[in-house]
Amino acid sequence: MAERESTLISRMAGGDEKAFEELYNANARKVFAYLRSRNIDEETTSDILQNTFLAAWRGAGRYQGGAKPLTWLIAIARHKLVDEVRMRERTRAAPLESVLGGHDPTAENEERLSVRQAVQALGAEHRELLHLVFVLGMNYAEAAEVLEIPEGTVKSRMFALKRQLAGRLAVEVGT
Amino acid sequence: MNCETVSELLPELLSGSLGREQELELLSHLASCPDCRSELAFWAQVAEAEQDDAEPMPNGLFRGIRDELFGAKATTVLETLRLTGRALGLAGSACRLAFSMAGK
């Protein structure tokens, strides 16, 4: 699948509009879901999604083929999101925390939480990692590429969030 | 494969991103380790909670992208073809009707 989609990007670089539509159909929902998971509104998400695919079309010739197409697209979307956040900070349209779904760690609930509540209460950094792995099906190396951090940092973040969740859920989990 | 390694790989197992060989090795460990199985159940719940939160995408976004990149040309060509086909179909029906009337 990813190999076939890589071919689509090569065809896009040659100006093939049909290949672009196929790549969009195969990945747009995942890119949209990723952006929505970052806690931004639907209108901004749609704008960033459009900018992501515009950039993908224009940058198809620079695609190296090393990353899976979805990883490549999510990395572009993430950069577009960062650009949006910076622009909002400059224009003071919305504070960074609300755009990136910042979580107030002092709002710790002493009661035992459901797993879903505990996941929702995680910070933006941890939610993003969970989304990349469990919703987009990325391995640690791919998540590291999107997040622009070493793979070892992905592993330690996963370990930290496991500890955090286990603590909130008052359960004992593994090593 | 020891429990520490398995623990580290469980999220990747659930995401379906492990290689076949590693997956089999991990499953073999899980078959004999209740602690790791209980951790797998924990991660499965976390994965399900995260997946439940994924939102559907509204329709019609591609049209905006296509128009931005290729102008309204793509839509117009397609619609022109549809209209031409429809017009030809109608013209054919009109001709058949005219011939049948002329034949009477």
Side-chain angles (χ1 to χ4, degrees):
Chain A
M1 173 71 89
E3 195 178 333
R4 209 188 86 75
E5 286 177 23
S6 295
T7 313
L8 291 178
I9 301 174
S10 306
R11 284 168 49 198
M12 279 163 54
D16 187 334
E17 296 173 21
K18 184 71 188 159
F20 178 62
E21 187 169 351
E22 280 185 47
L23 186 83
Y24 178 90
N25 288 335
N27 295 288
R29 283 178 197 287
K30 292 171 188 167
V31 177
F32 185 87
Y34 164 74
L35 289 167
R36 285 294 274 155
S37 80
R38 306 304 311 279
N39 209 22
I40 52 174
D41 62 81
E42 189 171 309
E43 192 181 337
T44 309
T45 298
S46 299
D47 288 345
I48 297 175
L49 179 87
Q50 291 193 335
N51 289 334
T52 298
F53 277 91
L54 291 174
W57 171 263
R58 290 169 183 146
R62 293 191 298 278
Y63 175 69
Q64 301 290 317
K68 282 183 188 167
L70 178 63
T71 308
W72 179 63
L73 288 167
I74 294 289
I76 296 174
R78 194 168 190 272
H79 280 160
K80 296 290 173 196
L81 176 61
V82 170
D83 290 346
E84 176 71 22
V85 170
R86 286 189 184 138
M87 193 270 287
R88 283 178 182 225
E89 281 181 333
R90 277 199 300 274
T91 58
R92 297 182 183 280
L96 176 67
E97 282 301 290
S98 69
V99 172
L100 286 183
H103 168 67
D104 178 9
T106 59
E108 198 81 29
N109 193 339
E110 289 299 317
E111 291 174 26
R112 189 175 170 139
L113 300 167
S114 74
V115 176
R116 188 170 180 167
Q117 285 171 315
V119 166
Q120 285 172 338
L122 287 170
E125 203 174 66
H126 284 164
R127 282 304 297 277
E128 183 177 22
L129 179 56
L130 286 182
H131 190 92
L132 294 177
V133 174
F134 291 131
V135 180
L136 299 181
M138 291 184 182
N139 59 30
Y140 293 155
E142 289 162 344
E145 191 169 338
V146 168
L147 299 172
E148 296 176 292
I149 55 176
E151 191 177 336
T153 308
V154 167
K155 289 178 184 173
S156 58
R157 276 190 194 171
M158 214 54 165
F159 184 79
L161 79 84
K162 178 177 78 175
R163 285 274 166 257
Q164 205 173 327
L165 283 173
R168 285 187 179 151
L169 295 165
V171 292
E172 279 193 30
V173 180
T175 50
Chain B
M1 201 177 264
N2 60 28
C3 289
E4 197 177 339
T5 310
V6 170
S7 170
E8 190 176 279
L9 293 175
L10 286 176
E12 285 182 301
L13 175 74
L14 285 168
S15 79
S17 60
L18 284 181
R20 186 72 187 139
E21 200 173 312
Q22 209 169 20
E23 190 179 297
L24 286 173
E25 206 177 335
L26 206 141
L27 289 173
S28 153
H29 175 95
L30 284 168
S32 61
C33 180
D35 285 348
C36 287
R37 279 204 303 274
S38 113
E39 186 171 345
L40 176 68
F42 164 82
W43 277 120
Q45 284 182 295
V46 173
E48 192 181 355
E50 186 60 38
Q51 286 158 359
D52 282 351
D53 255 15
E55 296 194 33
M57 186 177 76
N59 292 321
L61 292 179
F62 186 67
R63 180 185 292 260
I65 299 170
R66 191 181 51 189
D67 288 351
E68 169 85 21
L69 283 175
F70 314 125
K73 184 186 70 175
T75 315
T76 313
V77 168
L78 198 63
E79 280 169 3
T80 304
L81 283 173
R82 277 203 201 107
L83 287 173
T84 307
R86 189 170 148 73
L88 286 172
L90 286 172
S93 302
C95 285
R96 279 195 296 277
L97 185 65
F99 282 128
S100 69
M101 288 179 72
K104 281 184 184 174

